[in-house]
Amino acid sequence: MMMSLIIYSQSSNALKSEIHRANDSLLKQVRYTIDAQIDLMKRLNMEITWNAKLQSLMYSNIRQSDDQFLAFQLVKEFRMYQTSYAMIDEFYVTWDQTSSILRPGNVRDMKTAFDTIHNTGTLRYEQWLDTINNAANNQFLLLPHTDAESPQTSIAYIAHLPKDLNGKQTGTVVVMADLERFQKAMETISGFSGGQILILNHDNQVLLSNLPVSVNTNLILEQALDPDHVAYSQAANGDSELFYMQSAVSDLKYVLVIPSGIYWEKAEYVRNFTYVSILISLIGACVLTWFFMRRNYSPIQRLVQSLSDKHSAEERTDGNELSFIQRVISDTRSEKDQIELQWQSHQYVLRSNMLNRLLKGKIDTLISYEEAFKSFDMELVSNEFAVILFAVENNEKLSSNLPGMDLNERRKLIQFIITNVVEELVGHRHHAGYVAEVDDMMVCLVNFAENAAAERKEDLSWIASEAQRFLLRYHMDLTISIGGIHSSLFGVAQAYREALDAMEYKMVRGKSEIITYDEIRIDSADKLQLGYYYPLQVEQQIINLIKIGDYESASASMSEIMERNFNKPLVSLTLARCLIFNLVGTMVKAINELGDGDSRLLGDNPLWMDSIIACDTILEMQQELLALLKEVCAHAAAKIGSNSSKERAETLRELIANVTRYIEDHYQDANLNVNTIGERFELKGSYVSKLFKDGTGEGLLDYITKFRIQQAKRMIGYKQDSISEIAKSVGYNEVATFIRVFKKYEGITPGKYKEMH
């Protein structure tokens, strides 16, 4: 069989090489001719797309009348394109903004353009619109063309114009060439080779064929085509041979399908001889295979039968006994590994549950804790115990630093890190440490070694500080509390309660601290220091400062109160919370005393009290409290400022009215000026002038002059007095001064004005 295949391969390759060379040359000739036409279509499309008038029409914000004029100029330029590209039978641009078609020499609406260009009865108007709007960019399609020769069809190159700034479609360029231009290039090669030529677009759809597309040809076109170079492939149905190549200027493909009878005509003898040789080889191979299988397959068959007793026959879907044996062994190993993992997981859960019950003082197990420790490979090195609590304060930040993990996975990872670090640190001090999760905190049970009893407290402090420092590398902010040292397993619960009490004291000490129970333990001698300082007179003083909006003084008084209460060796948590709530109550009282019972400030912030209660530490409460104080003081200051502004505006209006009346009563006085008015109202003249201008927008001296000119105009209109007498009547001793001022404000002299009226 090997020799027959080698002979057949060599002879077939020689024949195929010659046939390929001939057919490739013919197909390249077709590609060259059609690519020239396609290149013209793409170049015309490029010139239209980047036409300056088309860019202005599609993307400039111009008036509708200018749009129509610009469109008229554009279609006139299209006529020059039509002359330059004589091989292009039709082209147009869709103008989506006006639902119009731009053709060489005219602008038509969509329906009229469709009837003129494409309405041959094979394509409806709606189908044409869908094709134009939804076709892929730079796509070749078949479209009907009324002016083309039979079958009235053209190859169309469709390119969408870029979208506008609002992301809307602007238009589409369609360039068409009739099928007749392509058919002539295809007839020559098809007549020479006796095959069928097809032109395919990017989606392997047939655009053009010299023969009707048959079912067998469709099966051939379903094969994947290599876009990079000329290639050969045998058709799927075995009746035809396929040559194809990619266009050099577009994404079109050229396919030559030759009947196998023609293709293999010269190689028929070699093929038949090879078939006979292979058939003889196959018969001999079957005989040898049957013999060796009978001798060697029986042991494997018995092994498969023994494995099938434990595995159903349905599992043997591949029919390969060796694969079945390998799969059974692999499944057995996987099952064993899975059982081992489940056992380890259950052991961790059971160990955590045992430590949880021990820490909470539940000594009601069926077996002793000593036996339980042994079953979990936990060695008790002595009878002395202590408890260390670890609280992670920045879970939200850790969650953002660990993307792609769900909440449960992040929690397990944090527990794993803390467990390994803390247990290793405890072991570094030659003690035994066992970590478990209890009530959202990590708890380490420390079992001390027998020696160095005096250094146990120092060891606990060292373990806590090193754990806190080392875990900062993993961006963990830890608050750590340490209980007292107790003897026997029954003292573990007491050590745990002491650690919880110390952890609660982080409210006063703050987060990310190390708190030991010995530091917060309150003896009877210390109770004298647990005072509470917030007298009524101090509260009233703070209320008064808030009412006048003095944030600096009010915040200083509050800070002094908190410092006086919290800067003590020991602070009662209950009294600390009580002080914070009393300070909040002080601000509520101040708001209610601001004047008109305005409580909008409280109504707009219903969660003030909740946000303060939710704080974990006194420092956070103090920050929330000062933020609340700042807002309350700003509200009070704004209220006071609003009231004072109203009083000042009312006083200014009254002053302006009095000044105006005084001018109207004394405008005839030649000595009337800014200073005399200021003396009348017991103010500086310049200050009165400034207030008058702020209130009216007009200078005081200008107002006096305009009022005198107005009165003079009135006198000129109905009196027969001379200009000199009228000037003295309105407060001007010099008639020349009156004439100059009158002309400045009226543009003409008093004499001219008298003649006109």
Side-chain angles (χ1 to χ4, degrees):
M1 290 178 63
M2 291 288 294
M3 292 176 62
S4 299
L5 290 174
I6 291 173
I7 294 172
Y8 175 68
S9 174
Q10 293 298 322
S11 57
S12 297
N13 289 339
L15 292 173
K16 286 181 181 179
S17 178
E18 294 300 323
I19 297 172
H20 288 176
R21 188 178 295 109
N23 287 289
D24 290 348
S25 299
L26 294 174
L27 198 57
K28 286 179 180 178
Q29 181 181 351
V30 172
R31 182 179 71 172
Y32 175 79
T33 304
I34 296 178
D35 274 2
Q37 181 68 29
I38 295 299
D39 188 50
L40 280 177
M41 297 172 71
K42 295 185 71 173
R43 280 163 44 193
L44 176 57
N45 169 76
M46 183 63 69
E47 288 195 34
I48 294 173
T49 300
W50 294 106
N51 184 283
K53 291 185 175 61
L54 181 64
Q55 293 287 319
S56 299
L57 184 64
M58 295 296 179
Y59 304 109
S60 299
N61 294 324
I62 56 178
R63 294 177 300 178
Q64 185 175 2
S65 58
D66 295 336
D67 279 349
Q68 298 301 325
F69 178 71
L70 186 60
F72 174 73
Q73 290 182 317
L74 181 62
V75 298
K76 286 180 64 179
E77 282 195 18
F78 282 179
R79 285 185 174 178
M80 292 190 298
Y81 291 159
Q82 193 175 31
T83 303
S84 301
Y85 292 88
M87 301 296 290
I88 304 301
D89 297 288
E90 180 65 58
F91 66 89
Y92 58 85
V93 179
T94 64
W95 187 9
D96 292 353
Q97 183 179 358
T98 60
S99 299
S100 304
I101 295 294
L102 305 175
R103 296 183 64 203
N106 58 69
V107 180
R108 295 288 185 266
D109 61 88
M110 291 283 195
K111 188 65 172 67
T112 303
F114 170 77
D115 293 336
T116 304
I117 302 173
H118 299 293
N119 194 3
T120 63
T122 60
L123 184 70
R124 290 184 288 108
Y125 174 68
E126 293 77 8
Q127 294 174 328
W128 171 69
L129 284 179
D130 182 67
T131 301
I132 295 299
N133 293 328
N134 298 323
N137 197 26
N138 301 323
Q139 179 74 22
F140 289 92
L141 297 173
L142 290 177
L143 289 178
H145 188 197
T146 56
D147 295 337
E149 296 185 4
S150 181
Q152 291 188 311
T153 304
S154 297
I155 292 181
Y157 179 63
I158 297 177
H160 298 296
L161 294 174
K163 296 181 180 179
D164 60 15
L165 294 177
N166 296 322
K168 294 183 179 180
Q169 189 69 38
T170 56
T172 304
V173 181
V174 181
V175 181
M176 301 166 56
D178 293 343
L179 289 183
E180 179 187 6
R181 300 185 183 278
F182 300 91
Q183 292 283 3
K184 293 179 180 179
M186 297 170 59
E187 289 175 356
T188 302
I189 185 173
S190 62
F192 178 80
S193 65
Q196 181 178 10
I197 299 176
L198 303 99
I199 300 177
L200 282 67
N201 64 7
H202 178 71
D203 298 326
N204 290 340
Q205 297 175 344
V206 179
L207 296 179
L208 184 60
S209 175
N210 63 325
L211 298 174
V213 180
S214 63
V215 176
N216 291 338
T217 307
N218 285 332
L219 293 175
I220 294 172
L221 297 179
E222 291 177 0
Q223 300 179 96
L225 302 181
D226 186 350
D228 297 329
H229 56 275
V230 178
Y232 160 79
S233 175
Q234 186 176 6
N237 58 0
D239 295 334
S240 302
E241 308 299 329
L242 175 66
F243 295 84
Y244 61 91
M245 66 177 62
Q246 184 75 37
S247 170
V249 298
S250 67
D251 58 358
L252 296 181
K253 303 180 183 70
Y254 302 102
V255 181
L256 172 61
V257 183
I258 302 175
S260 295
I262 298 175
Y263 184 84
W264 283 102
E265 183 176 0
K266 297 179 180 180
E268 191 69 27
Y269 174 77
V270 176
R271 177 188 291 181
N272 293 335
F273 180 82
T274 304
Y275 285 164
V276 172
S277 176
I278 292 175
L279 179 61
I280 294 174
S281 300
L282 284 174
I283 294 173
C286 290
V287 173
L288 290 174
T289 301
W290 175 81
F291 173 75
F292 286 110
M293 285 182 63
R294 182 177 180 84
R295 189 180 72 175
N296 298 323
Y297 180 67
S298 297
I300 297 177
Q301 189 175 25
R302 288 193 298 270
L303 178 60
V304 171
Q305 186 175 3
S306 64
L307 293 174
S308 299
D309 294 339
K310 296 182 179 181
H311 297 79
S312 62
E314 296 177 355
E315 295 182 0
R316 294 185 55 189
T317 56
D318 52 4
N320 188 328
E321 287 78 1
L322 294 177
S323 297
F324 172 73
I325 295 171
Q326 183 180 7
R327 181 156 48 86
V328 169
I329 295 173
S330 178
D331 291 345
T332 303
R333 289 181 175 177
S334 298
E335 185 177 355
K336 177 184 176 183
D337 294 340
Q338 186 176 5
I339 292 172
E340 185 175 354
L341 289 174
Q342 290 179 351
W343 178 80
Q344 292 177 355
S345 176
H346 292 166
Q347 186 185 36
Y348 178 78
V349 173
L350 292 173
R351 168 186 148 165
S352 297
N353 183 62
M354 185 269 292
L355 290 175
N356 200 323
R357 294 176 63 83
L358 175 62
L359 291 167
K360 294 185 177 181
K362 298 179 180 179
I363 315 295
D364 55 353
T365 56
L366 297 178
I367 61 175
S368 65
Y369 276 108
E370 290 79 1
E371 294 296 328
F373 271 78
K374 291 180 180 179
S375 64
F376 293 114
D377 296 327
M378 298 165 63
E379 182 182 1
L380 293 176
V381 295
S382 73
N383 203 29
E384 298 292 327
F385 299 92
V387 172
I388 305 177
L389 284 183
F390 300 86
V392 181
E393 304 293 353
N394 59 336
N395 277 315
E396 295 79 7
K397 183 178 180 181
L398 289 175
S399 299
S400 63
N401 291 334
L402 298 171
M405 300 176 65
D406 59 27
L407 183 61
N408 189 45
E409 290 177 343
R410 287 196 292 267
R411 182 177 61 84
K412 288 182 178 179
L413 178 59
I414 294 171
Q415 292 175 5
F416 176 79
I417 294 173
I418 295 176
T419 299
N420 283 275
V421 171
V422 174
E423 288 186 355
E424 184 174 348
L425 288 173
V426 174
H428 189 74
R429 287 289 174 167
H430 309 292
H431 307 304
Y434 307 106
V435 179
E437 182 190 15
V438 180
D439 298 333
D440 296 328
M441 289 187 293
M442 300 301 293
V443 182
C444 178
L445 176 62
V446 180
N447 184 207
F448 293 103
E450 293 288 351
N451 55 348
E455 299 177 357
R456 289 172 180 172
K457 290 185 179 180
E458 289 77 5
D459 289 348
L460 291 176
S461 299
W462 182 86
I463 292 168
S465 61
E466 285 297 310
Q468 190 179 60
R469 182 187 60 80
F470 185 83
L471 290 173
L472 278 176
R473 301 180 183 180
Y474 299 94
H475 307 288
M476 294 186 194
D477 293 334
L478 297 179
T479 300
I480 303 176
S481 64
I482 304 173
I485 300 173
H486 294 270
S487 300
S488 78
L489 289 172
F490 294 96
V492 171
Q494 179 64 28
Y496 175 65
R497 286 192 295 270
E498 292 172 356
L500 285 177
D501 292 341
M503 181 61 71
E504 187 177 2
Y505 208 76
K506 74 176 179 180
M507 179 179 179
V508 177
R509 293 280 297 274
K511 297 178 180 178
S512 302
E513 295 286 340
I514 299 175
I515 309 169
T516 63
Y517 180 73
D518 292 339
E519 295 174 350
I520 67 161
R521 184 170 53 191
I522 301 175
D523 295 331
S524 58
D526 296 328
K527 293 183 179 179
L528 297 176
Q529 304 179 38
L530 299 177
Y532 182 81
Y533 176 79
Y534 191 35
L536 292 176
Q537 62 271 21
V538 176
E539 181 182 24
Q540 187 60 48
Q541 180 185 3
I542 293 176
I543 291 174
N544 294 334
L545 292 173
I546 294 174
K547 288 167 63 177
I548 64 174
D550 189 352
Y551 169 72
E552 298 295 334
S553 299
S555 61
S557 297
M558 281 194 176
S559 298
E560 181 183 358
I561 291 297
M562 287 186 281
E563 183 178 359
R564 189 162 179 175
N565 281 276
F566 297 147
N567 282 355
K568 296 180 179 181
L570 296 173
V571 179
S572 170
L573 299 181
T574 303
L575 293 180
R577 292 190 180 96
C578 183
L579 176 64
I580 295 295
F581 296 150
N582 282 343
L583 290 174
V584 175
T586 298
M587 282 183 281
V588 174
K589 294 175 185 178
I591 293 172
N592 291 329
E593 293 182 14
L594 282 178
D596 55 357
D598 186 4
S599 61
R600 288 175 298 169
L601 187 63
L602 291 175
D604 294 339
N605 298 273
L607 299 179
W608 272 350
M609 189 65 71
D610 292 343
S611 63
I612 293 176
I613 294 174
C615 294
D616 293 329
T617 65
I618 293 295
L619 179 60
E620 292 178 357
M621 288 184 176
Q622 184 177 357
Q623 292 172 350
E624 289 285 340
L625 190 62
L626 291 178
L628 173 58
L629 174 64
K630 188 173 185 178
E631 191 167 353
V632 173
C633 288
H635 177 74
K639 193 174 186 68
I640 294 172
S642 175
N643 294 336
S644 63
S645 297
K646 290 179 181 177
E647 293 175 1
R648 185 177 181 277
E650 185 63 31
T651 303
L652 181 61
R653 283 195 296 270
E654 185 178 353
L655 176 63
I656 291 172
N658 293 334
V659 170
T660 303
R661 283 195 299 271
Y662 184 80
I663 293 172
E664 293 173 355
D665 294 340
H666 300 83
Y667 73 92
Q668 298 171 342
D669 186 359
N671 295 321
L672 179 67
N673 55 37
V674 172
N675 291 328
T676 59
I677 294 174
E679 292 175 359
R680 165 66 181 79
F681 292 98
E682 297 180 353
L683 297 169
K684 287 185 177 181
S686 59
Y687 184 63
V688 174
S689 178
K690 179 181 182 302
L691 293 177
F692 190 88
K693 187 170 185 179
D694 291 342
T696 64
E698 184 177 21
L700 182 56
L701 187 59
D702 284 343
Y703 180 79
I704 295 172
T705 304
K706 287 183 180 179
F707 188 80
R708 284 173 168 171
I709 297 300
Q710 191 68 27
Q711 297 301 317
K713 288 166 59 179
R714 183 176 60 81
M715 293 178 184
I716 292 172
Y718 72 87
K719 285 188 176 183
Q720 299 300 321
D721 297 338
S722 64
I723 299 299
S724 176
E725 292 173 345
I726 292 175
K728 292 180 179 179
S729 299
V730 295
Y732 289 97
N733 293 328
E734 299 292 335
V735 67
T737 303
F738 171 71
I739 294 172
R740 177 172 52 79
V741 173
F742 191 95
K743 186 176 182 181
K744 175 183 177 182
Y745 281 90
E746 297 297 327
I748 58 176
T749 63
K752 284 285 187 182
Y753 184 84
K754 188 173 184 179
E755 291 176 4
M756 294 171 59
H757 294 79

